[in-house]
Amino acid sequence: MHLARFPRVFLAHLPTPLERLGRLSKDLGGPEIWIKRDDCTGLSTGGNKTRKLEFLMAEALAQGADTVITQGATQSNHARQTAAFSAKLGLACHILLEDRTGSNDANYNTNGNVLLDHLHGATTSRRAGGVDMAAEMELLADRLRGEGRKPYIIPGGGSNPTGALGYVNCAFELVSQANDRGLVIDHIVTATGSAGTQAGLITGLKALNSGIPLLGIGVRAPKEKQEENVYTLAQQTAEKLGCPGVVARNDVVADSNYVGAGYGIPREDTLEAIRMFAQLEGILLDPVYSGKGAAGLIDHVRKGRFTRGQKVVFLHTGGAAGLFGYDAAFAEARKALEM
Ligand SMILES: *Cc1c(COP(=O)(O)O)cnc(C)c1O
């Protein structure tokens, strides 16, 4: 297997750092916790979509596209990274934003990632929650083709076999970093949403025969559905890579017990995880993905599922730009006014 055979635009700051979280590990009193800093991929405040876009954008260029279309929730980090990548390549970018939370909050609707989408020159247009966003993107693409444009559609989260190659690459990178410093990884934990990150990672980990288990913490779908989505995409990714069948159904494990009321709605333990990482390690998580992923990690440690002496790597997928759309969720925002 040779990733260099796939077209790629080299743009991300790689390899991302692999760091030990000494104060968090001590506070929890369980395993040694490490962090893989995919919040530091470099593009417009970073995040996991940049790795996927390296492969997706290369495909867009190969097809002669002049315009990129994608979709996501209002505070989509994927949309922001796609807008920035498009700017870098001189492509027009149209983003369809689905209102998944029904929030009327001004910062949620215009600040954070939405502000950055526009700064990067993308156009956004809103759709009601529950609309068939893939169909909406096709409609827009048809209209643009009629105007003589050449649109390239990127699915939500950049999650298809091409995008997932970015996380096959991350698995290779992480295992190589661990090998180089004699770090034996007992478990990897990360947030899982549109499935490309977990599917690419598990495909890479299995293709390497690494023996490292991966736990996805769900942010939207129930466990069964999330695992099916990841498994299906992992199978397609393995086929694309030339190692069909390398991922077994039971390699795919998701825990959706930290979703709470729904996608994009933080729970109390989401906010606790964000505060712990901020105040023990100086690291910013987000209220939609990495905060829920970290809440899952912390709960598993507290319940003794990862134990002293083990080494657990939390893959930080980014998202902190979203904090500025979620200030209302934090009492800290009001405190600043009282001082
Ligand atoms: C998109 C995203 C995820 C989830 O990754 P998927 O590949 O969609 O499963 C996790 N964290 C952040 C910050 C994201 O933006």
Side-chain angles (χ1 to χ4, degrees):
M1 177 184 335
H2 196 18
L3 273 183
R5 294 205 177 98
F6 297 95
R8 177 173 170 193
V9 179
F10 289 83
L11 188 85
H13 295 183
L14 303 180
T16 57
L18 175 64
E19 300 167 341
R20 210 171 76 87
L21 297 182
R23 274 169 46 80
L24 180 70
S25 303
K26 186 157 179 256
D27 188 90
L28 291 171
E32 198 170 285
I33 301 171
W34 290 68
I35 191 164
K36 173 72 171 155
R37 297 293 303 271
D38 271 17
D39 56 321
C40 301
T41 51
L43 185 66
S44 182
T45 78
N48 63 338
K49 303 313 180 305
T50 300
R51 284 189 194 268
K52 303 179 183 182
L53 289 166
E54 286 197 320
F55 291 93
L56 291 161
M57 287 299 205
E59 199 171 271
L61 293 180
Q63 292 179 12
D66 57 16
T67 302
V68 168
I69 298 172
T70 197
Q71 62 98 358
T74 303
Q75 282 294 334
S76 167
N77 303 297
H78 164 68
R80 180 244 314 155
Q81 289 162 83
T82 304
F85 216 128
S86 300
K88 177 70 179 169
L89 299 181
L91 303 173
C93 180
H94 295 290
I95 297 166
L96 302 183
L97 294 178
E98 180 188 0
D99 180 15
R100 291 189 201 160
T101 65
S103 168
N104 294 319
D105 185 89
N107 278 338
Y108 180 80
N109 286 293
T110 63
N111 204 338
N113 285 298
V114 184
L115 169 67
L116 300 183
D117 294 342
H118 294 141
L119 272 180
H120 289 303
T123 64
T124 60
S125 101
R126 294 163 61 94
R127 295 291 184 276
V131 162
D132 181 345
M133 296 299 281
E136 291 294 309
M137 289 199 292
E138 290 293 348
L139 277 176
L140 176 57
D142 280 344
R143 210 186 76 210
L144 291 172
R145 275 185 216 106
E147 295 167 8
R149 310 285 304 194
K150 290 187 181 144
Y152 176 83
I153 295 178
I154 297 180
S159 286
N160 61 18
T162 301
L165 292 178
Y167 272 87
V168 172
N169 182 42
C170 179
F172 294 173
E173 182 182 300
L174 174 57
V175 170
S176 159
Q177 284 173 313
N179 289 343
D180 286 349
R181 62 182 76 178
L183 174 71
V184 179
I185 301 172
D186 292 291
H187 226 107
I188 300 172
V189 178
T190 193
T192 182
S194 67
T197 300
Q198 189 177 359
L201 276 178
I202 196 63
T203 305
L205 290 169
K206 290 293 291 190
L208 282 174
N209 194 24
S210 68
I212 305 173
L214 171 65
L215 170 65
I217 304 293
V219 300
R220 189 178 193 187
K223 174 185 171 73
E224 270 300 313
K225 174 134 184 17
Q226 186 65 23
E227 290 182 349
E228 273 310 315
N229 291 347
V230 172
Y231 181 50
T232 301
L233 182 52
Q235 285 174 297
Q236 295 164 351
T237 306
E239 205 149 298
K240 188 179 178 84
L241 270 174
C243 50
V246 76
V247 178
R249 174 64 183 80
N250 64 6
D251 294 323
V252 177
V253 182
D255 181 347
S256 294
N257 285 324
Y258 307 91
V259 175
Y263 173 90
I265 303 172
R267 303 204 311 178
E268 204 41 59
D269 61 351
T270 320
L271 303 178
E272 184 202 11
I274 293 172
R275 290 194 182 96
M276 285 178 78
F277 274 66
Q279 293 170 22
L280 291 169
E281 299 290 349
I283 290 174
L284 295 175
L285 303 177
D286 81 280
V288 182
Y289 296 98
S290 53
K292 286 187 179 174
L297 166 74
I298 290 166
D299 191 48
H300 278 249
V301 171
R302 285 179 176 156
K303 289 187 168 143
R305 293 186 196 134
F306 304 129
T307 53
R308 202 180 278 273
Q310 287 194 318
K311 297 187 172 69
V312 177
V313 174
F314 178 65
L315 172 72
H316 187 346
T317 43
L323 284 169
F324 304 104
Y326 276 90
D327 62 307
F330 295 90
E332 284 85 341
R334 287 194 296 275
K335 245 185 240 161
L337 284 177
E338 288 160 11
M339 286 199 292

